Amino acid sequence: MKALLVLALSSVCLTAMAGEVPTDVAKQQPAIEEYTYSTHLDIAKVISMSEAPNVCEVVPMKMEYEDSHGQRHILRYSMMGNGCSNG
């Protein structure tokens, strides 16, 4: 009977601990959001931006930022590379 009680309590503890792990991981890495022209941006602080390569074509870029509520976001967007000449 004691063994059954110990087994039941340990399974409840393990289940409770397992439920907490994914929420901590999700808070550390925000989901990547795709930019569209209708996207409302609330950028209070830019944390990092990818550097545009020296190519003459549209390239994918990423920007990580904090909004006015302190939440982090990663935004994926497209821009023209730095390799085009004007002449």
Side-chain angles (χ1 to χ4, degrees):
M1 189 67 176
K2 288 181 185 179
L4 184 60
L5 180 62
V6 169
L7 181 63
L9 288 176
S10 64
S11 67
V12 169
C13 291
L14 288 174
T15 304
M17 288 173 36
E20 293 177 9
V21 173
T23 57
D24 292 340
V25 173
K27 287 181 183 177
Q28 293 174 358
Q29 186 64 29
I32 296 176
E33 304 166 19
E34 295 289 334
Y35 174 78
T36 64
Y37 288 116
S38 63
T39 303
H40 173 71
L41 296 176
D42 177 16
I43 301 172
K45 177 183 173 185
V46 174
I47 298 166
S48 67
M49 292 181 68
S50 56
E51 195 169 319
N54 282 330
V55 296
C56 189
E57 60 187 46
V58 176
V59 293
M61 304 289 288
K62 285 185 185 175
M63 176 176 61
E64 185 171 354
Y65 67 94
E66 281 186 4
D67 63 16
S68 60
H69 301 288
Q71 291 189 338
R72 288 194 175 203
H73 300 267
I74 298 176
L75 184 69
R76 187 181 338 193
Y77 60 98
S78 298
M79 71 173 269
M80 197 67 176
N82 291 331
C84 298
S85 63
N86 291 334

